[in-house]
Amino acid sequence: TCSVMKKRRGSKVSIVKRRREAEQLLMTAVRQGKAKFLEKDLPTEWRQNPPMPPSMIKMVLWDMDRTLLKTHTRGLWKDDVTKLAEEVTRAFKIVVPHLLHQKFSVGIVTFSDKLRTESGKGGIAGEDLVKDLIVETFSDLYSKVRKLRDNKHYARKNAEHIRDQLYIAAALPGLRNAQDNKQVQMPNSKSWHIDQVIQEYKTRTGSTLSYDEIMLFDDTLENVEAALKSGVHAFAVLPNSAFTSSCWEVALEAMVSPNATKSRLAGRER
């Protein structure tokens, strides 16, 4: 019995190691410009439902600018939010409702900061921007569903339900550190944001959430690197295409079949 347990334990360590290597390989490929296939967004290949993460994952997080959005708000949006909603990637709009339906938690971690609006120059930022963006995005999506086409109010209620389930951490480290005299400064990464999500998860559910139960998608390599070091399953997306169906598929490959992901990346690099 002991030998079997040791073997299983060793096997698990080996799988985790290969998975981490696959995640690192993907990030390196993005950095070197050798992962252009991530630009492909073909959700129709998913047929009825997109593939879901393995059961060990509890939370999936996205950065906002150049990740779930195909554009960059520069942390502050001064135009109509409905225009910004048009920039949300198709893959994000498909994956999120399915994740929530399958009881996964979903969140957005962004450097957009509500303190930016205190300058009096107008606009919307931070958590308020994220919430309005989500409502506009999914209101539009649900209003195109045949059964909801003639009931915009019900479509919006569905969108608000998605918004209310989200975990949101929105803060710009440089801005917060400049206004805060604490000895411990906010790191210039998504580390603080992820910790905020973990705390909120505990508050809402009464359960703990560990780093290795989280997936993160971000277009900034430094944020991905920092998250990987903490144990998060972090994946770099290409800023020019943002989050696509290919990003999702490759990330899931790295979670369940790291060797397959390595082979796919190696094949694309030739």
Side-chain angles (χ1 to χ4, degrees):
T1 305
C2 291
S3 61
V4 172
M5 290 180 66
K6 286 181 180 179
K7 184 176 180 180
R8 286 178 178 172
R9 190 174 300 164
S11 176
K12 183 177 180 181
V13 171
S14 179
I15 292 171
V16 171
K17 183 179 180 181
R18 291 202 308 273
R19 189 178 295 139
R20 291 298 177 194
E21 288 174 352
E23 293 167 6
Q24 190 70 42
L25 184 67
L26 178 60
M27 188 179 69
T28 301
V30 171
R31 179 185 288 117
Q32 295 174 348
K34 297 178 179 179
K36 295 299 182 183
F37 64 95
L38 293 180
E39 294 176 352
K40 294 183 179 179
D41 196 4
L42 303 170
T44 51
E45 291 186 353
W46 294 340
R47 298 178 184 175
Q48 189 172 1
N49 297 312
M52 291 287 99
S55 58
M56 65 181 182
I57 295 298
K58 293 181 180 179
M59 174 80 68
V60 183
L61 299 175
W62 279 269
D63 170 44
M64 183 171 70
D65 295 314
R66 296 290 188 190
T67 302
L68 73 88
L69 287 173
K70 291 175 285 187
T71 190
H72 206 299
T73 64
R74 303 300 169 193
L76 183 69
W77 188 252
K78 294 186 178 183
D79 208 338
D80 193 329
V81 177
T82 56
K83 293 183 179 180
L84 188 60
E86 295 173 0
E87 299 293 329
V88 175
T89 71
R90 185 167 53 171
F92 179 82
K93 289 187 282 190
I94 292 173
V95 168
V96 166
H98 282 93
L99 281 170
L100 293 173
H101 181 69
Q102 295 295 328
K103 307 303 180 185
F104 291 95
S105 295
V106 172
I108 297 173
V109 288
T110 175
F111 283 164
S112 181
D113 198 317
K114 64 181 180 181
L115 294 181
R116 292 282 305 278
T117 64
E118 294 181 357
S119 62
K121 296 181 180 180
I124 184 171
E127 188 173 340
D128 292 338
L129 175 58
V130 172
K131 287 182 175 180
D132 286 2
L133 175 63
I134 292 299
V135 170
E136 290 298 332
T137 296
F138 289 101
S139 290
D140 179 66
L141 183 69
Y142 285 128
S143 67
K144 294 175 181 175
V145 176
R146 186 176 301 174
K147 292 182 180 179
L148 301 178
R149 195 172 295 161
D150 297 325
N151 193 335
K152 302 285 186 178
H153 175 73
Y154 191 65
R156 190 172 184 85
K157 284 293 183 184
N158 275 272
E160 290 172 347
H161 182 60
I162 287 181
R163 174 201 64 193
D164 294 342
Q165 293 178 79
L166 287 186
Y167 290 81
I168 303 171
L172 180 62
L175 183 59
R176 294 300 178 101
N177 290 335
Q179 296 192 0
D180 200 331
N181 295 321
K182 291 181 179 178
Q183 290 184 345
V184 179
Q185 297 278 281
M186 185 184 296
N188 192 32
S189 67
K190 295 295 170 64
S191 299
W192 177 89
H193 302 69
I194 293 170
D195 286 343
Q196 291 296 115
V197 167
I198 289 174
Q199 290 177 25
E200 179 63 20
Y201 184 88
K202 175 71 173 178
T203 300
R204 291 192 198 182
T205 69
S207 302
T208 58
L209 178 66
S210 60
Y211 292 122
D212 63 358
E213 294 172 322
I214 300 172
M215 292 178 71
L216 168 70
F217 293 91
D218 202 303
D219 70 303
T220 303
L221 295 174
E222 290 79 8
N223 292 340
V224 174
E225 189 78 69
L228 283 172
K229 288 179 180 177
S230 68
V232 171
H233 300 283
F235 301 91
V237 307
L238 297 175
N240 60 332
S241 58
F243 175 73
T244 64
S245 59
S246 293
C247 294
W248 183 246
E249 290 168 357
V250 172
L252 294 187
E253 280 182 5
M255 299 295 293
V256 297
S257 303
N259 288 334
T261 303
K262 289 181 180 182
S263 299
R264 180 175 180 179
L265 283 164
R268 298 285 180 171
E269 288 174 8
R270 291 193 188 96

